[in-house]
Amino acid sequence: MLKNIPAILPPELLKFMSEMGHGDELVISDANFPAASHAQRLVRCDGVNAVQLLQAVLQLFPLDTYVEKPAAVMQVVKGDPVIPIIWEDYRRIIEEHEGMTDALEYEERFDFYERATKAYVIVATGERAQYANLILKKGVIFPESGHAQGQLNLEFK
């Protein structure tokens, strides 16, 4: 057990998030997404919805500040009458955790699939909302104030 780690994040996902470097991507997929056939690494979180998972992930996972849009959703297919209101939840959570007000880009369906195939990890959720798939690009954790970049000040006794 660890303190301050959201309980809905399984150990395997924590491991993958920790291994990821700047620019690597994590996909939060809805229940309809072909996650198993697209994943290099797959974590199943079937009992969790995408909003809960995003809230937990962003407590630990920095978004990339070196790109204009560090998150992406799948565009609604032309002619599909769905209005993905879940995107508003994504915007709110990203702003709450990262202070970014316009972080989402919109990928065409097959471009999204291709990008997901290259992602470091796909997390399959039980989310039932349509177009709830989300790609997050990992950012950088900057040195704390008072420490020069690249230097670590440890004192062992």
Side-chain angles (χ1 to χ4, degrees):
M1 295 291 293
L2 298 171
K3 293 173 21 174
N4 303 320
I5 303 285
I8 66 170
L9 297 178
E12 185 180 26
L13 179 54
L14 292 169
K15 174 188 178 294
F16 291 146
M17 288 170 46
S18 181
E19 290 173 350
M20 293 173 68
H22 180 216
D24 283 339
E25 293 185 328
L26 177 151
V27 177
I28 296 174
S29 75
D30 63 31
N32 291 305
F33 189 79
S37 64
H38 283 73
Q40 295 180 42
R41 295 164 196 85
L42 178 63
V43 176
R44 300 217 58 100
C45 290
D46 298 300
V48 176
N49 70 45
V51 171
Q52 291 171 312
L53 189 67
L54 178 61
Q55 186 76 256
V57 165
L58 288 184
Q59 290 180 49
L60 306 172
F61 189 94
L63 291 183
D64 196 342
T65 57
Y66 291 99
V67 296
E68 188 176 333
K69 308 275 185 179
V73 292
M74 183 187 297
Q75 287 177 352
V76 175
V77 174
K78 187 175 181 170
D80 195 341
V82 174
I83 298 172
I85 57 175
I86 196 167
W87 293 355
E88 292 307 316
D89 291 325
Y90 293 166
R91 285 186 189 95
R92 177 185 49 76
I93 293 166
I94 290 169
E95 183 173 3
E96 175 185 308
H97 285 278
E98 297 291 315
M100 300 174 177
T101 58
D102 190 24
L104 295 181
E105 68 177 299
Y106 305 89
E107 293 272 350
E108 184 275 331
R109 178 181 171 206
F110 293 105
D111 291 342
F112 189 98
Y113 287 158
E114 179 65 28
R115 189 167 166 187
T117 300
K118 297 173 185 172
Y120 192 85
V121 62
I122 295 177
V123 186
T125 71
E127 181 60 61
R128 302 295 291 270
Q130 288 182 274
Y131 297 99
N133 304 300
L134 177 67
I135 297 174
L136 302 174
K137 184 178 288 291
K138 189 172 185 185
V140 173
I141 296 176
F142 295 97
E144 306 249 349
S145 61
H147 295 292
Q149 189 165 349
Q151 294 181 341
L152 186 59
N153 186 11
L154 295 177
E155 184 179 319
F156 296 98
K157 295 181 180 188

